[in-house]
Amino acid sequence: MSSPTGPTPPPSPLYPASVPLSPEPESGPRLSEPQRLLNVFIAPRKTFEDLKRNPSWWVPWLVTAIFIIIFGVVAVQKIDMVQFLQREIDKSPSAQRRMEQLTPEQREKGLAMQATGTKVVFYIYPLFTLIGGLIIAAVLMAIFNFMLGAEVPFQRAVAVVFYSYVPLIISTILLTVSVLFSSDPNTIDLTNPMPTNPGFFMDPQGNKFIYAIVSSLDIFSIWVVTLLGLGFASASSNRKPSVSTGITTMFVVFAIFVLCRAAWKSIF
């Protein structure tokens, strides 16, 4: 037989009646930064769920930035930037028209200045990834929080984005090796350098709308999109949305982006 309970003690300064007891902290060991990075490849959900405890994002960005800088140094040393820019101009009718309006001396001077600017961009590209990651995090946070009822604060959203981008380290390493050991690095199309998407096997001067779409169906792009959907679902403070809904939402967002990008490239 259970013993009767005594009277409830009155509120005191130590235990005021109006203040609820705080929830117990989540059980389980915290992941170290190396464990988070490794789990992105083998158990990504563990990484994203750990962001609810510590939404640190600078380590994945820094590691990715190091590999990007290494590629930038190799590319600047191995690739003729004037030839690279000339190939990009040849792909764009609007750029060709602008160049045709210049004298030969102006074209040569303009290409030289653009080549210098492109080298600088290769070196400082991690800064652009930082700014781009912050913007993407804000947009996706708005989509998941306001449209799907998730609870992902901004810092956690930034962490989800940069951890989702970690697999791009692999593509950066592969591209660096290709440029470093190619007999002629100038023949590598840096806009679509590897056979990881159907567009690699197509003529970029053909139907530009179709080319842009199939080039976007890249193994690494699909990998990142899947991780973003999983990440925002797993890092939410509540159980909204489900993982399947999160991944589906990200592929819808990705499809809209790809169509807009393809339309832009077909015009210009």
Side-chain angles (χ1 to χ4, degrees), residues 61 120-135:
W61 173 79
V120 174
V121 169
F122 272 105
Y123 288 128
I124 66 172
Y125 196 77
L127 179 61
F128 293 102
T129 65
L130 175 60
I131 297 173
L134 295 175
I135 295 173

Side-chain angles (χ1 to χ4, degrees), residues 123-159:
Y123 288 128
I124 66 172
Y125 196 77
L127 179 61
F128 293 102
T129 65
L130 175 60
I131 297 173
L134 295 175
I135 295 173
I136 292 171
V139 172
L140 295 181
M141 183 186 71
I143 292 173
F144 277 85
N145 286 1
F146 296 112
M147 296 181 61
L148 300 178
E151 295 179 0
V152 182
F154 180 67
Q155 186 175 353
R156 198 184 301 166
V158 174

